[in-house]
Amino acid sequence: ILMALILLLIGFAGMVSLFLAQAYRSTRTSLTRIKAFSDNVVDHMPVGLIALDSNGKVASYNEAAEGILGRFSGETIGKTATEVIPSPIMALTKELGQGKRIIETEIECPLDHAGTKPLELSVSVLEGEEESFLGHVILFRDLTEVRELQKEIETSRRLASLGRLAAGIAHEIRNPLSSIKG
C-alpha cells in the first residue's frame, strides 16, 4: 500500500510538472511573439519615439527618431538624455515633473546637422503599478513638409484672390468700352 501511494504521488507530481512545463513553454512563446510584435511596431512607426528610464537615460530610440534628429540608436541608447536629446525637448520633460501628465506642443528644435526643424511633440510620464515613476515617453513628428504645404496653400489663396480681382477689374473696364463701342 505504501509503495502504491508513493508511486501515485510520483505520478501525480510528474503530471503537475508536465502541466507547468507546458504552461511555461506557451507563456514564453507568447511573450516572444508579443516582444517581436512590439519591437517591430516601435521600430517602424512613422513617428519618432524616445523612451527614457527613471535615471534619465535613453532606453528606446526608433528609426523615425534617427531620421528626424540625425543620431543613430547605437550612439544614443544607454546615454543620459541631456547628452543626446536637444535641450528644448528636455525642458518639456522637466515641466512634466511640475504636476502635468502630458504635454503636447509644437516647437522649433535646433539640431546639430540641419539647423532647426519644426516638431510636433507629445511628452508624457511613464508609470508602473501603483503610479511608480518609470521614466518618460517622447513622441515627435517632423512638421517641415506640413509647413511647406501650408505656405503653398497660402500662396494659392493669394493667387486666386488676385485672379478674382483681375477678373473684376477687366469686367469693370469692359462695360464702359462696350458702351463706347456700341
Side-chain angles (χ1 to χ4, degrees), residues 6 16-17 23 50 62 71 86 101 110 123 133 139 152 168 180:
I6 291 173
V16 168
S17 65
I50 300 173
N62 72 351
R71 292 183 181 254
R101 303 302 251 180
V123 182
F133 177 72
L139 296 170
E152 287 180 23
I180 293 171

Side-chain angles (χ1 to χ4, degrees), residues 18-177:
L18 282 174
F19 284 128
L20 289 176
Q22 181 64 28
Y24 173 76
R25 192 175 312 132
S26 66
T27 303
R28 185 175 173 146
T29 304
S30 176
L31 183 62
T32 303
R33 285 184 190 154
I34 290 171
K35 184 173 178 358
F37 176 76
S38 64
D39 287 347
N40 195 13
V41 167
V42 167
D43 285 341
H44 296 99
M45 65 191 299
V47 177
L49 178 132
I50 300 173
L52 306 177
D53 64 10
S54 59
N55 298 325
K57 293 187 177 184
V58 178
S60 181
Y61 194 86
N62 72 351
E63 290 176 9
E66 290 177 359
I68 294 171
L69 297 180
R71 292 183 181 254
F72 296 105
S73 60
E75 65 186 47
T76 57
I77 293 179
K79 292 189 178 178
T80 34
T82 53
E83 293 177 33
V84 292
I85 298 174
S87 58
I89 297 174
M90 289 308 300
L92 292 174
T93 61
K94 291 175 183 160
E95 283 183 35
L96 282 175
Q98 300 168 357
K100 294 182 182 179
R101 303 302 251 180
I102 297 174
I103 296 176
E104 292 180 346
T105 186
E106 291 182 7
I107 64 168
E108 290 290 328
C109 186
L111 301 175
D112 298 336
H113 68 286
T116 61
K117 273 191 181 179
L119 297 179
E120 178 184 13
L121 283 165
S122 177
V123 182
S124 64
V125 175
L126 186 61
E127 294 178 342
E129 295 177 7
E130 300 173 7
E131 296 184 10
S132 61
F133 177 72
L134 297 177
H136 294 98
V137 174
I138 304 167
L139 296 170
F140 52 95
R141 187 169 64 126
D142 186 3
L143 295 177
T144 304
E145 291 179 19
V146 174
R147 297 271 170 92
E148 289 174 4
L149 289 174
Q150 287 173 341
K151 286 179 185 176
E152 287 180 23
I153 289 171
E154 187 60 34
T155 302
S156 296
R157 284 184 189 160
R158 287 181 185 162
L159 289 175
S161 66
L162 185 63
R164 285 192 297 272
L165 178 66
I169 291 173
H171 177 71
E172 292 298 323
I173 291 174
R174 230 180 287 139
N175 282 346
L177 286 179

